[in-house]
Amino acid sequence: MTSGGIDTDIDWLRRAARPLADPPIEPGWNLEELADVIDPKLPRRKAAVLVPFVRRESALSVLFTRRTANLRTHAGQISFLGGAIEEGDADPVAAALRETFEETGIEPERVEPFGYLDGFETVSGYFVSPVAGFVRGDYCVKPDPQEVAEVFEVPLDFILAPNRLRRFDFDWHGRTRTTFEFEWDGRRVWGATASILKNLLQRLEAR
């Protein structure tokens, strides 16, 4: 899979995403992988993440954060911006934009949400709605020092390169599980974040 220039990529992403009027619903596309550790009859907690595509002059990049080492969960891991949907959030888009601002200081007006990827299940019992959005390249970051150790970008072309996302098998709760991973400048992106990118690639390939 290769990039076709920024205008082509923007159009490609818009066509690959679910419309904002069609948010994902349960179950998540990866439920089969976790069916033995998640009770499908129990209600999921709702969460949303922003999958941020930064507009540069001639290309797009994807923005990630590295979590601080002192967090109770996912310490030190690479992730998208997001968290639990709160009572005051109108929808997953509102939650993703709020969390993005709280974690990085990137204002909602600098983000153009344009669609959703498919819903994703986590082992902690969340149903995650990934919100795809374009971020203006003139954003400024003010990371929350309690949550975010680093904010960085990876060129979209790099992620789209053939075989960039590698399958990663590991043993957990009595059987072999499958996730995905890639490395960028010494950083390992894996787990839920890489799996959301895998879903993005699948939707792009289907268009």
Side-chain angles (χ1 to χ4, degrees):
M1 186 178 299
T2 58
S3 169
I6 186 168
D7 292 335
T8 299
D9 287 350
I10 287 172
D11 180 64
W12 194 18
L13 288 167
R14 288 188 188 278
R15 288 187 288 109
R18 303 168 65 106
L20 289 174
D22 180 30
I25 58 174
E26 300 176 30
W29 64 268
N30 64 323
L31 179 60
E32 184 176 350
E33 182 70 22
L34 301 175
D36 60 322
V37 292
I38 293 179
D39 186 344
K41 297 178 182 178
L42 293 178
R44 304 291 195 278
R45 290 171 287 179
K46 302 296 192 297
V49 297
L50 180 68
V51 184
F53 301 93
V54 181
R55 293 178 183 251
R56 297 300 179 191
E57 289 186 5
S58 59
L60 295 172
S61 61
V62 182
L63 188 143
F64 299 90
T65 66
R66 179 168 58 85
R67 318 303 291 177
T68 55
N70 62 332
L71 290 177
R72 185 172 57 86
T73 59
H74 309 301
Q77 292 187 12
I78 306 301
S79 67
F80 289 124
L81 310 156
I85 297 176
E86 298 181 355
E87 186 175 347
D89 295 321
D91 53 23
V93 172
L97 294 178
R98 175 185 53 76
E99 288 280 350
T100 295
F101 178 68
E102 292 175 357
E103 293 178 15
T104 67
I106 297 176
E107 303 94 337
E109 56 267 26
R110 296 185 187 274
V111 183
E112 178 201 344
F114 64 87
Y116 291 100
L117 302 180
D118 295 321
F120 185 82
E121 308 277 353
T122 73
V123 295
S124 52
Y126 281 96
F127 175 77
V128 181
S129 297
V131 179
F134 296 118
V135 179
R136 285 169 40 182
D138 62 352
Y139 71 84
C140 296
V141 294
K142 297 177 182 178
D144 178 350
Q146 299 302 314
E147 293 191 44
V148 178
E150 180 185 19
V151 179
F152 65 95
E153 298 178 26
V154 178
L156 180 60
D157 285 355
F158 181 87
I159 295 172
L160 295 182
N163 302 316
R164 179 69 66 203
L165 278 178
R166 301 182 300 269
R167 176 178 170 140
F168 171 57
D169 293 332
F170 62 101
D171 292 329
W172 186 71
H173 275 234
R175 74 175 181 87
T176 301
R177 316 279 170 171
T178 297
T179 186
F180 300 89
E181 64 178 353
F182 74 91
E183 292 186 3
W184 166 259
D185 197 22
R187 304 174 183 90
R188 182 188 182 214
V189 182
W190 70 290
T193 302
S195 293
I196 289 171
L197 289 173
K198 179 64 175 179
N199 177 243
L200 168 67
L201 297 182
Q202 291 170 334
R203 294 190 67 89
L204 288 170
E205 288 169 351
R207 294 299 181 267

